[in-house]
Amino acid sequence: MTTRPQGETSLERYDYIVVGGGSAGCVTAGRLVREFGATVLLLEAGPADANRLIDMPAGFVKLLFRPSPFVTVYESEPQPSLDGRSVAIMQGTVLGGGSSVNAMTYTRGVPADYARWNEAAGGAGWDWNSLLPYFRKQEGNQRLNDGAHGVDGPLKVSDAHHPICDASRAFLLTLQTLGVNYTSDINGGIQEGVGLVQSTTYKGRRCSAARAFIDPIRRDSRLTLKCNVAATRLLFEGSRAVGIEYVERNGPGPTRAYANNEVVLTAGAYGTPKLLMLSGIGAAEQLGKLGIETRVDLPGVGQNMQDHCSVSLVARTNGAYGYFGEDRGPRMAINGLQYLLFGSGPVASTSSEVMAFVRTSDAGEEPNLQLYCAPVMVPTPLLMPPPAHGLTLIANHVTPLSRGRMRLRSADPAARPIIEPNYCADPRDLAALIDGIRYLRGVVEAAPMSRMIDRVLGPDPSIESDAELSAYCKATAATNFHPVGSCRMGLDSDPLAVLTPQLKVRGVTGLRVFDASMMPSIISANTNAPVMAVADRAVDLMMTGAA
């Protein structure tokens, strides 16, 4: 078992241990050190964020879609709901986590998202109005200053690269042609409409959670930051979590560290439930099959997984309206020089410059599709576009009803978990993606975008029936990189609730979870900003001794 040996003396002792240096971990460690004067050990499985591509907004393409030490690629099990296809799911493994490698989109969702959380938590303060002060406190918005936005926070938020490229501008105008209202703020509580993307960037540079919350304390002696370490199991004294065992890459062997107060897990929707299960907290039947002694029988660990799933339309254009070719030859040199001298140009663009939230015919009161325009042709499992000018329109389903799960492959901490996202298992999710493809077709057929399109390459325009489009969606559906919910919070009456409304792990003391795995249901937008707000409020709950 993981109980500390009698009489053991450890030089590694801290007030708090935070496991996972992603967005939630950076917020948590930053506040504990800066505001509460605590000694904190922050463990990150990946390397430090010392790479120039991380700071360059356009660099995320090379970080996320090419082999990189900063990204872990999980391969799902073959999914029956996708006709047996496996799906690759990338997650940031670097200080700052996803906020260091993502497309920097800053969104919050809508009040209805948080009303569902608050209901699941029995009215314990997880509604929109309760979280809004944390969004505002963190935010240093460069354009918006009102009751929904803050301007003095460390997390810098600005409009995406300006001037936007011609393809993005056509997307913005065409959606208005189709009757979608222009909105200047999708984060004020009403998401529906089309507008310029706000991103976690500042003066042409990414503002990750590490930049915002860890940089100010990097030299503080109360913070001990260790990168390239893998947490292998939790340490207990009786029913209390008292520390963590971890292994450093190329290190001598397991090391143990102890917390005077609490251990906080912020390892993400895959890492957190994996560590709990390795430590004997999970479904007893599954743990027993792997030879892991059960400490707490919590069948909800690894269940309730949700993610956003997207499909795309790829088109070749009749001119240079986007960013194809801007990263090679003379154009690369010119763009690089412009960025170095002025912090502007294509290198300062997040590529996703315009975004829309729309409702299909069968949607409820809130938008169910998030639309993007990528000003280049992006490959799909069915299409490798030619090296030419083009664009990709993406329809992301933000209100999925399908639920997946993850579990341990073995008791070996180095083994990848078994991941079953279960995309489109609920037929209503597949119907929404089909609606998304039809919506995107309407966009490229309307002016002014129609005047740019030379040919739609995928899906083939001859594919029209629901059955054909269903097959296309199953063959191409991809993650939007937002896995959540694998350790959901809830009331005692919820048999799958892993956490209390105060984010304490049930059945043990001294152990909490502050990351995306706590979400009872996924929000209808990108999840990075909500994760940081959750961690911020969770620190308050912990430090005020909320029951």
Side-chain angles (χ1 to χ4, degrees), residues 145-217:
N145 182 19
D146 55 28
H149 295 279
V151 297
D152 298 321
L155 184 70
K156 304 305 179 186
V157 177
S158 66
D159 292 336
H161 168 65
H162 288 291
I164 61 176
C165 70
D166 292 340
S168 296
R169 183 176 297 104
F171 183 62
L172 176 72
L173 298 176
T174 301
L175 283 168
Q176 292 176 75
T177 298
L178 297 175
V180 179
N181 291 328
Y182 175 80
T183 177
S184 63
D185 179 17
I186 63 169
N187 290 315
I190 300 175
Q191 219 167 224
E192 190 166 6
V194 60
L196 302 176
V197 171
Q198 286 229 293
S199 61
T200 49
T201 56
Y202 181 62
K203 294 184 177 180
R205 293 169 62 89
R206 176 194 295 270
C207 183
S208 67
R211 293 284 179 266
F213 304 106
I214 296 300
D215 275 4
I217 60 166

Side-chain angles (χ1 to χ4, degrees), residues 302-320:
Q303 301 295 314
N304 189 53
M305 292 204 69
Q306 301 146 65
D307 193 5
H308 293 142
C309 190
S310 63
V311 289
S312 57
L313 180 150
V314 183
R316 186 169 59 197
T317 58
N318 54 30

Side-chain angles (χ1 to χ4, degrees), residues 352-436:
S352 177
E353 299 167 338
V354 173
M355 182 171 56
F357 287 90
V358 300
R359 284 181 291 171
T360 60
S361 57
D362 293 329
E365 295 182 1
E366 300 291 346
N368 64 333
L369 292 179
Q370 180 183 27
L371 308 181
Y372 301 97
C373 174
V376 293
M377 290 191 286
V378 179
T380 74
L382 297 180
L383 174 68
M384 178 55 67
H389 294 290
L391 54 83
T392 303
L393 302 185
I394 300 167
N396 180 38
H397 182 214
V398 294
T399 57
L401 297 168
S402 302
R403 297 292 184 267
R405 64 174 183 166
M406 64 153 287
R407 62 189 190 277
L408 294 181
R409 192 174 301 276
S410 77
D412 180 2
R416 293 284 180 89
I418 297 172
I419 297 173
E420 299 176 288
N422 225 16
Y423 296 132
C424 298
D426 190 301
R428 290 169 290 184
D429 292 348
L430 182 60
L433 293 181
I434 293 172
D435 286 345

Side-chain angles (χ1 to χ4, degrees), residues 206-345:
R206 176 194 295 270
C207 183
S208 67
R211 293 284 179 266
F213 304 106
I214 296 300
D215 275 4
I217 60 166
R218 283 203 197 223
R219 298 181 183 275
D220 195 311
S221 61
R222 294 169 297 188
L223 173 69
T224 301
L225 170 62
K226 295 192 177 186
C227 295
N228 291 312
V229 299
T232 55
R233 57 178 178 169
L234 292 158
L235 305 176
F236 293 88
E237 285 184 349
S239 62
R240 182 173 185 82
V242 296
I244 193 77
E245 183 177 273
Y246 65 90
V247 178
E248 298 187 47
R249 187 176 299 173
N250 302 321
T255 300
R256 291 183 168 191
Y258 296 96
N260 294 326
N261 298 318
E262 299 202 43
V263 178
V264 179
L265 303 185
T266 54
Y270 299 145
T272 288
K274 177 184 175 182
L275 184 58
L276 288 175
M277 288 186 278
L278 287 170
S279 305
I281 301 174
E285 181 181 1
Q286 292 181 22
L287 297 178
K289 290 178 180 179
L290 299 176
I292 299 174
E293 185 175 348
T294 301
R295 179 173 291 277
V296 183
D297 184 8
L298 280 182
V301 176
Q303 301 295 314
N304 189 53
M305 292 204 69
Q306 301 146 65
D307 193 5
H308 293 142
C309 190
S310 63
V311 289
S312 57
L313 180 150
V314 183
R316 186 169 59 197
T317 58
N318 54 30
Y321 306 116
Y323 292 126
F324 171 73
E326 297 292 335
D327 61 345
R328 64 194 70 182
R331 289 300 308 163
M332 180 176 68
I334 292 170
N335 293 333
L337 184 61
Q338 180 179 353
Y339 182 75
L340 289 174
L341 292 176
F342 307 109
S344 62

